[in-house]
Amino acid sequence: MRTVKRVHPAFRDDIGDLVTRRPVPGPAIGHVGAFLFLNHHGPQAYPPNNRGLPFGPHPHRGFETVTFILAGELAHTDSAGHASIIRAGGIQWMTAGSGIVHAEVSPADFKRDGGPMEILQLWVNLPARLKMTAPRYVGAQAEAIPAVATGSGATIHLISGAFGDARGTVDSLTGVFLSWVEIAAGGSVTFSGLEGRDVLLYAVRGMFHVEGTPVAHFHLAELTPGDAVTITASEPALFLFGHAAPIDEPIVAHGPFVMNSEAEIRQAFLDYQAGRFGIAEIVEA
């Protein structure tokens, strides 16, 4: 069984009036295998007539972004022609691949009316063979995501990968397992098949325990090696859980690009500046 090697607090790094915490990367942890970056925005309440989220059009290349909308709603547009508005409980999975420009902003009615907002955004690395793959996008509302009840007080919202007979909404290019999990007081859940995998475990709300070690909200649990992990809770909690095969390649990241060499980063900037990523326009809805 895996145990907790170290608990890492999320670093507070607000973006204007957007409450933001970042567990990865942090002072003592650069990345968790293929899981490169995690921002936790909120929880907070926006007043009426607000400016909304600040993530206007910007480029990416060489990785994937997965956005979990826990509260509020999020409008997505990109230069590959995808557009959606995803509500609470849904997700957005974008493969930037060879290059894309996207915007993630608040819809017009949210800016007008305000309301609660909490989202997680995770960056997932791609291996060299897939860094220049064609961009793609999946937007899924809560009702399209399997909610697997374990019978032991936990509900697994299955984004990608398999749990029992259920399969996630997204077919990951690299076999990544991703979920967010609600667990009741006194509940538990065990994930197995983790040998040789890099595991991401982040406490969003409440507190849980791994083999007796507590992990409170806004903390990342770095785990020891092993084939399985059991997570228990003495109070209601919500956490992000994922695992992925290691990518034994150099990681060279600069701003919105993640590649394998400095030369590839320079080329990404040149291609973006030359307009080869296309244009994403913010659509008011």
Side-chain angles (χ1 to χ4, degrees):
M1 297 297 291
R2 293 195 179 217
T3 60
V4 174
K5 179 180 178 180
R6 187 170 180 180
V7 176
H8 301 270
F11 173 71
R12 183 75 179 262
D13 189 17
D14 292 354
I15 304 171
D17 62 357
L18 178 60
V19 175
T20 300
R21 295 174 175 87
R22 184 173 304 119
V24 179
I29 189 165
H31 60 95
V32 182
F35 303 111
L36 303 173
F37 174 97
L38 177 61
N39 259 357
H40 183 175
H41 302 299
Q44 65 190 99
Y46 274 67
N49 302 312
N50 63 81
R51 293 177 296 175
L53 295 169
F55 306 119
H58 57 281
H60 289 304
R61 171 180 278 180
F63 63 101
E64 301 181 284
T65 66
V66 186
T67 308
F68 303 78
I69 299 92
L70 300 179
E73 52 187 16
L74 190 59
H76 169 99
T77 55
D78 65 45
S79 56
H82 306 111
S84 67
I85 296 177
I86 304 298
R87 299 181 298 275
I91 61 99
Q92 299 176 346
W93 189 309
M94 187 186 75
T95 303
S98 60
I100 199 167
V101 176
H102 79 141
E104 291 179 301
V105 298
S106 300
D109 58 352
F110 184 87
K111 290 192 286 186
R112 181 191 65 230
D113 301 333
M117 192 285 305
E118 184 175 19
I119 63 176
L120 308 172
Q121 185 169 90
L122 176 68
W123 290 13
V124 182
N125 199 13
L126 287 171
R129 64 184 178 84
L130 291 174
K131 284 196 177 292
M132 296 299 286
T133 196
R136 70 172 190 168
Y137 172 79
V138 177
Q141 305 290 2
E143 54 267 26
I145 298 170
V148 183
T150 65
S152 55
T155 300
I156 300 166
H157 300 267
L158 192 54
I159 311 306
S160 64
F163 189 91
D165 296 330
R167 293 203 62 84
T169 304
V170 178
D171 185 14
S172 164
L173 293 174
T174 54
V176 170
F177 178 98
L178 268 181
S179 66
W180 61 276
V181 182
E182 296 175 286
I183 187 166
S188 69
V189 60
T190 297
F191 294 94
S192 58
L194 306 179
E195 190 66 48
R197 307 275 288 181
D198 296 315
V199 175
L200 178 74
L201 178 55
Y202 173 66
V204 179
R205 302 175 191 161
M207 176 187 290
F208 58 79
H209 292 75
V210 177
E211 297 298 313
T213 300
V215 182
H217 62 288
F218 308 145
H219 285 76
L220 177 87
E222 182 183 358
L223 303 179
T224 61
D227 183 64
V229 62
T230 295
I231 299 159
T232 62
S234 57
E235 63 181 75
L238 186 154
F239 60 87
L240 179 65
F241 181 84
H243 56 84
I247 300 176
D248 188 20
E249 298 173 355
I251 297 173
V252 180
H254 191 94
F257 308 130
V258 181
M259 303 299 290
N260 299 114
S261 70
E262 294 287 353
E264 290 173 326
I265 292 291
R266 289 193 294 272
Q267 188 62 52
F269 276 102
L270 290 172
D271 289 344
Y272 170 61
Q273 291 163 355
R276 299 188 183 104
F277 287 16
I279 297 172
E281 296 183 0
I282 296 178
V283 178
E284 295 287 345

